[in-house]
Amino acid sequence: MLNSFFLTSDAAFGPQHRTRLASKTREILFCAVAFLSMQWSAPGRSLSADDLPSDVKTVFAENCVRCHKAEKKSGGLVLEAPESIVAGGKSGAAIIPGAPGDSLLWKLVQPEGKPHMPPGKKQLDNSQLATLKSWIEHWEPPKPEAKPTTSLQESARITSWLPPPGVDPTLVIDLYIAHGCRERGVEQGPLCSDAEFIRRLYLDVFGRIPSLRERQAFLNETNSNKRDLWIERLSESPECAEHLAALWDTMLLGRSEGKLEERTAKGWHDYLKTAFQQNRPWNKVAEEVLLARGDSKQRGHIWFLYEQSNKHQEIAESISRGFFGVDIACAQCHDHPVSPEIKQAHYWGLVGFYRRGRNEGVPNGIAVAESAIGGFEDYANALTGETETLELTFLKAKTVEEQRPEDPAKQKDDDDFYVEVDKEARRPKFSRREKFVTEILRDHPLLARAMVNRWWGLMLGRGLVHPVDKMDSGHPPSHPELLDWLAEDYRQSGYDNRRLLQALLRSHAYQSVASGAGPPDSFANGLVKPLSAEALLRSWSQILNPKLNQDLGSTIRQHFPEILAEEEQTTLKQTLMLSNHSRWNEFFRFESDSVGESLRNLERENPEQACTQIFLVAFGREPTEAEMKKVVSILKSKETEWQRSVQQILWALLTSAEFRFNH
């Protein structure tokens, strides 16, 4: 069995891993034996609300869970998870799988149902009835012995073994992905070529294609471990930190017209760049950003809250998405309709932590001050019409206790409620924002999980949970045990971003050829990734002119995709901009000295060599025979318009799908 494992590993991992694997023989032996034991000793699947179809959960959320949720349990029945549905209520089983006519729930939602369900509401419409009927007819309920799991922190699957902390994370990634492919009967793809790898690496780490000189230096490298060496060298470079700062700026605050310059001027971009360059622990970065207290020298981190201009609901939603990987916007009016673990109380609890903040200026610069009073407003449940009391809580975390005045509306502010800080906004002795950071954010399991998933999505093309900001029970991870292990390893490493980034870049999943074969969530092959506007700008600027970023940056950022968008779409606006925008076309004119030196000096007498040079500059590869034939024919047929022909060919390549995607 061990021999079989090593044969599989050798074939899957390829030669660039062998040096690293050979140096970790003890780890490999340990992991191999334990990992293979998963084939025999993995217990039964633990079922959760994930096993209810989303349309059924929506019907229940809109019509039933007001009364039949765990908190109320009307008639002893809870309709939030398969296990409680199987258990039934005081009147017995709610569902008889395969037999809608004999199922109590089905009988009571009919127009003649007695008592009619849902009470006090109009009759379910035909589409909702059809959804329930189809579900009952085809539903396979969980086995009675199945262990329920409804927590955000629990995986959809459980195995009897996880690798111990400290094992090389690349090895663990390769083991789990290979194991998952075998389970699904998917063949892992071969490694990509060196030319493909170096282009992919530069785009992901530097946010641009490699220059011809950089590309050739890597291809000429004779060290058998050169991929690992270049991964380490590039990921520790200031240019990597610059690119990562641009990515996280957009992921945390989004793209907004005119904001980039302001973020740079206020130090936000430099703060992120320094954090990545120094490899500062991500949990400490998160604490600084969400506490938003500064000193005379360091204030860039305050901008995250400051830019959102006292819009406390937007602040809460951006915090949840950006730092916890959970979109809580759907819980504003009622408990989440598809992921019942996300409560309306969590939405308003997070709003409550930040509701007392307000922007102001202080001698040291910008500040987000905080009041010591207020923020006790209750909220209404749109489904039940009931008014709920705001509590300081968030996503399964404990509730932070705060003394509530008898009449909050009559509470008066007082200097005794604050601590004075020189040249800074005074701080309340009981700071809700500080309580959130110290009692909720600190060591919250989703902080590590969300960051691991976001890094995975950036490097591998999609998250282990997809989309990356919907880490809830409605979106189970493709490899739950791997996500569990990586999150804990990341936490144990001190939230070390560089270690995690390098581990992902060294993995077979990252370095495999982008063939398009196999399900995308198997990671059996490399995934084609759309370049972000930031990467397109940096790459185009390198080929054409650095001024392109300055002159066209705002326009391009408006037209091209968000980072880690749920779905990639090519739009008519993008096509028109690349075809007709006057400023864009300016950069292809040789007389303006916009086109790079390597292209302005192409030899007319050798169109074949010119064609090869153009393709190497744009695609990092040589042209195919058909491409060579076509381009040479264009160059020869328009010898009197040589520059114009080159410009048109270059424009066609730089706006093509091959250029605009990383693969």
Side-chain angles (χ1 to χ4, degrees), residues 547-548 550-552 555 577 580-589 594:
K547 292 182 180 179
L548 186 146
Q550 176 183 334
D551 293 354
L552 277 178
T555 300
M577 182 266 165
N580 301 318
H581 196 287
S582 59
R583 297 303 307 279
W584 169 253
N585 292 334
E586 285 178 17
F587 286 94
F588 287 91
R589 296 175 184 167
S594 291

Side-chain angles (χ1 to χ4, degrees), residues 257-512:
E257 181 65 22
K259 288 294 185 183
L260 182 62
E261 294 76 12
E262 197 171 14
R263 293 171 188 174
T264 301
K266 297 299 183 180
W268 167 246
H269 186 84
D270 280 345
Y271 172 78
L272 290 175
K273 180 180 176 181
T274 300
F276 285 114
Q277 182 60 47
Q278 296 178 352
N279 196 28
R280 296 189 58 218
W282 183 248
N283 61 330
K284 300 303 180 184
V285 173
E287 289 179 14
E288 288 179 353
V289 169
L290 299 183
L291 185 57
R293 291 177 181 171
D295 54 39
S296 59
K297 295 181 179 179
Q298 181 175 312
R299 309 196 70 78
H301 60 286
I302 297 175
W303 187 255
F304 175 79
L305 294 183
Y306 193 91
E307 183 182 297
Q308 299 181 76
S309 302
N310 309 325
K311 298 174 183 176
H312 303 117
Q313 287 181 233
E314 291 183 13
I315 289 172
E317 291 170 13
S318 65
I319 289 173
S320 185
R321 286 193 307 269
F323 291 93
F324 297 94
V326 180
D327 188 347
I328 61 171
C330 285
Q332 176 181 350
C333 301
H334 48 74
D335 292 349
H336 199 291
V338 177
S339 304
E341 73 278 7
I342 303 175
K343 306 296 184 184
Q344 189 183 15
H346 299 146
Y347 181 95
W348 290 105
L350 184 51
V351 173
F353 278 112
Y354 284 85
R355 181 177 276 170
R356 290 175 173 174
R358 67 182 184 278
N359 289 359
E360 67 176 45
V362 296
N364 278 337
I366 61 170
V368 182
E370 185 179 4
S371 174
I373 65 170
F376 289 105
E377 296 86 347
D378 296 333
Y379 58 92
N381 187 305
L383 295 179
T384 67
E386 298 174 353
T387 299
E388 307 286 350
T389 300
L390 184 143
E391 293 184 319
L392 299 178
T393 189
F394 180 70
L395 288 175
K396 300 294 182 180
K398 64 181 180 180
T399 299
V400 174
E401 299 296 333
E402 180 181 19
Q403 186 175 356
R404 188 182 181 97
E406 292 185 9
D407 188 349
K410 294 183 179 180
Q411 188 182 23
K412 294 184 178 181
D413 212 354
D414 192 289
D415 289 342
D416 289 341
F417 296 162
Y418 298 89
V419 175
E420 297 294 333
V421 183
D422 185 42
K423 297 183 180 181
E424 294 287 343
R426 60 180 184 171
R427 297 169 185 170
K429 293 177 180 177
F430 180 91
S431 166
R432 285 185 174 184
R433 204 159 72 215
E434 184 175 347
K435 289 291 184 182
F436 177 78
V437 168
T438 58
E439 298 190 28
I440 304 294
L441 174 69
R442 191 165 293 169
D443 288 330
H444 195 294
L446 284 180
L447 181 64
R449 290 174 68 84
M451 196 59 168
V452 166
N453 193 51
R454 198 172 292 272
W455 275 115
W456 187 284
L458 284 170
M459 297 303 118
L460 277 299
R462 60 179 286 145
L464 291 167
V465 175
H466 178 76
V468 295
D469 60 355
K470 293 184 179 178
M471 298 185 70
D472 52 51
S473 61
H475 300 83
S478 59
H479 296 74
E481 301 93 340
L482 176 57
L483 179 57
D484 287 345
W485 189 89
L486 286 174
E488 178 60 19
D489 180 73
Y490 179 61
R491 193 184 70 82
Q492 294 275 1
S493 74
Y495 297 82
D496 188 331
N497 284 318
R498 188 171 294 157
R499 177 177 182 270
L500 176 59
L501 171 60
Q502 292 177 353
L504 293 170
L505 296 174
R506 292 197 309 264
S507 69
H508 181 90
Y510 178 81
Q511 297 187 22
S512 59

